[in-house]
């Protein structure tokens, strides 16, 4: 086929069109894998291996987002290692201090919960004991009238009193001891001939306590020095 004009001009025109076409085409981003550790083998890379990895990355197919996702998904770094690698000395010390504070707060919280649980259990026991004090008063009255000398009711009363003792219930009914306003309630005072201090001469109603807590003071008659 005959050509019109100079063949060099014709060839140069085609070269210019090809160059313009290549310039107008969108450039694909290139991702270089500069990691020092091979994510597939877990071995350290040497410079020549790094160049080979970069060449492999340049020749990879797909867009930039897909390549980035492939790189991220191919690496499984433990959280502790990532924190240790990304934190300098000051940040690591701050993390340790935060951990110590959290541990101290947890220990204090656990102690507070245990203390509150113990107090709640003690208050529950005290509530039950207080509700049974009138029953114990009736048992004492029946015993003083001779109704509990023997028989089934006497056995039931003894079992009840022994069961309450296991919960720390202590009766306050001693006579001949020094009057103590913390556990005694003086209803009557009368002169005593053989006493040098205020002394409990008679108990009108027994008192009760559990541990150091007085549930009810004993109502007593007090003999005072003449």
């Amino acid at each position: 086929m005959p050509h019109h004009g100079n063949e060099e001009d014709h060839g140069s025109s085609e070269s210019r069109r090809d160059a313009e076409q290549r310039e107008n085409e969108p450039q694909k981003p290139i991702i270089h894998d500069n990691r020092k550790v091979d994510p597939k083998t877990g071995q350290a890379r040497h410079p020549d291996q790094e160049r080979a990895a970069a060449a492999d990355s340049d020749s990879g197919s797909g867009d930039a987002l897909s390549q980035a996702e492939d790189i991220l998904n191919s690496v499984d770094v433990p959280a502790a290692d990532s924190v240790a690698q990304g934190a300098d000395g000051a940040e690591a010390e701050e993390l340790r201090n935060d951990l110590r504070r959290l541990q101290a707060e947890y220990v204090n919280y656990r102690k507070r919960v245990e203390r509150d649980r113990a107090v709640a259990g003690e208050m529950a026991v005290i509530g039950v004991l207080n509700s049974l004090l009138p029953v114990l008063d009736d048992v004492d009255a029946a015993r003083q009238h001779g109704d509990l000398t023997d028989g089934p009711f006497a056995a039931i009363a003894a079992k009840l009193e022994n069961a309450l003792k296991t919960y720390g219930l202590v009766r306050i009914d001693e006579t001949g001891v020094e009057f103590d306003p913390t556990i005694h309630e003086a209803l009557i005072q009368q002169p005593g001939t053989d006493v040098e201090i205020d002394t409990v001469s008679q108990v009108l109603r027994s008192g009760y306590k559990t541990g150091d807590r007085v549930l009810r003071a004993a109502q007593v008659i007090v003999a005072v020095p003449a």
Side-chain angles (χ1 to χ4, degrees):
M1 180 177 180
H3 296 280
H4 300 283
N6 194 336
E7 292 185 358
E8 292 182 1
D9 295 339
H10 182 73
S12 61
S13 299
E14 291 181 354
S15 299
R16 285 194 298 270
R17 285 195 299 270
D18 294 339
E20 291 175 356
Q21 185 177 1
R22 286 194 297 272
E23 291 177 355
N24 293 331
E25 290 181 354
Q27 296 295 327
K28 295 182 179 180
I30 298 175
I31 298 177
H32 297 280
D33 189 357
N34 295 326
R35 290 171 293 179
K36 301 300 182 181
V37 177
D38 191 339
K40 295 182 180 180
T41 63
Q43 302 296 327
R45 284 177 173 171
H46 298 288
D48 54 345
Q49 293 178 343
E50 294 179 7
R51 288 192 294 269
D56 294 339
S57 178
D58 293 340
S59 61
S61 60
D63 55 5
L65 180 60
S66 299
Q67 293 180 15
E69 289 179 352
D70 293 340
I71 293 174
L72 294 176
N73 293 332
S74 64
V75 180
D76 185 12
V77 180
D81 294 344
S82 63
V83 172
Q85 293 173 1
D88 56 11
E91 292 175 348
E93 183 64 24
E94 183 178 358
L95 291 175
R96 283 192 291 268
N97 292 334
D98 291 340
L99 180 60
R100 295 189 188 100
R101 284 193 294 269
L102 289 175
Q103 186 177 10
E105 291 177 0
Y106 172 73
V107 171
N108 293 334
Y109 169 76
R110 186 178 61 183
K111 290 181 179 178
R112 184 169 62 254
V113 169
E114 292 175 354
R115 182 173 60 252
D116 293 343
R117 185 183 296 123
V119 171
E122 181 181 355
M123 295 305 298
V125 172
I126 290 175
V128 173
L129 295 178
N130 282 326
S131 65
L132 292 176
L133 294 185
V135 178
L136 296 177
D137 292 339
D138 294 339
V139 171
D140 288 341
R143 185 177 287 112
Q144 292 175 3
H145 287 83
D147 296 334
L148 292 179
T149 55
D150 53 9
F153 289 105
I156 293 174
K159 290 181 180 179
L160 175 62
E161 291 173 341
N162 291 331
L164 295 179
K165 287 180 181 179
T166 61
Y167 290 95
L169 186 65
V170 177
R171 185 190 297 269
I172 305 173
D173 59 351
E174 291 183 290
T175 59
V177 298
E178 180 181 358
F179 174 77
D180 185 354
T182 61
I183 61 174
H184 297 134
E185 179 183 358
L187 298 183
I188 302 174
Q189 289 185 350
Q190 58 187 16
T193 57
D194 298 331
V195 295
E196 297 179 355
I197 56 175
D198 294 349
T199 305
V200 176
S201 60
Q202 184 178 351
V203 177
L204 302 178
R205 189 183 69 173
S206 298
Y208 295 94
K209 67 178 181 179
T210 174
D212 296 332
R213 182 186 294 269
V214 178
L215 303 180
R216 189 180 70 185
Q219 295 178 348
V220 299
I221 297 176
V222 180
V224 300

